[in-house]
Amino acid sequence: RCCTFRATNGSIRGRLYFPADHRLPALMLAGMSVEFVASLLLCPLEQTRIKMIADPGYADGTAAAVTRLFSEGDGARGVLGSLPAIWIKTVPYTMFQLPLYDVTSSALRDA
């Protein structure tokens, strides 16, 4: 378990006690690495989707659109150039989302 919720003096308010293990840092690291890889894989697909919506004649299908996207401009460098901005936004969010969910669900389950 990630944490334990203990009520004090029979009141609704209580305290969260975190164990000495490394579960929270491990969950944060897992969330960070998953978001890093997911953004790396999904960024080209998101750009392809936007191009296909903006210009219906861009390509016949997703595979053709991804191929055209990588062949235009600077190739992979151009497609993946927006990744740092995406990572600045999404990695911290996902890094804290997973541990917060675990802490909240453990506290509610033990209450």
Side-chain angles (χ1 to χ4, degrees):
R1 288 204 174 148
C2 178
C3 64
T4 306
F5 181 79
R6 296 183 186 160
T8 54
N9 299 330
S11 67
I12 294 280
R13 289 183 286 171
R15 302 186 80 185
L16 286 174
Y17 294 92
F18 295 96
D21 66 1
H22 301 289
R23 184 166 174 84
L24 285 177
L27 285 171
M28 291 175 74
L29 182 63
M32 179 182 70
S33 58
V34 165
E35 184 60 40
F36 183 83
V37 172
S39 295
L40 183 67
L41 296 175
L42 292 176
C43 181
L45 293 175
E46 183 67 20
Q47 288 181 357
T48 302
R49 182 185 70 83
I50 291 169
K51 291 227 183 224
M52 290 177 71
I53 289 172
D55 181 13
Y58 186 72
D60 292 333
T62 305
V66 170
T67 304
R68 181 175 173 188
L69 183 69
F70 275 97
S71 66
E72 292 175 345
D74 293 333
R77 184 173 295 179
V79 172
L80 301 176
S82 61
L83 274 174
I86 292 170
W87 285 331
I88 287 171
K89 175 185 167 192
T90 60
V91 168
Y93 170 77
T94 308
M95 224 171 104
F96 289 99
Q97 180 187 14
L98 186 61
L100 182 63
Y101 173 80
D102 192 61
V103 167
T104 304
S105 63
S106 293
L108 291 173
R109 187 175 34 248
D110 294 339

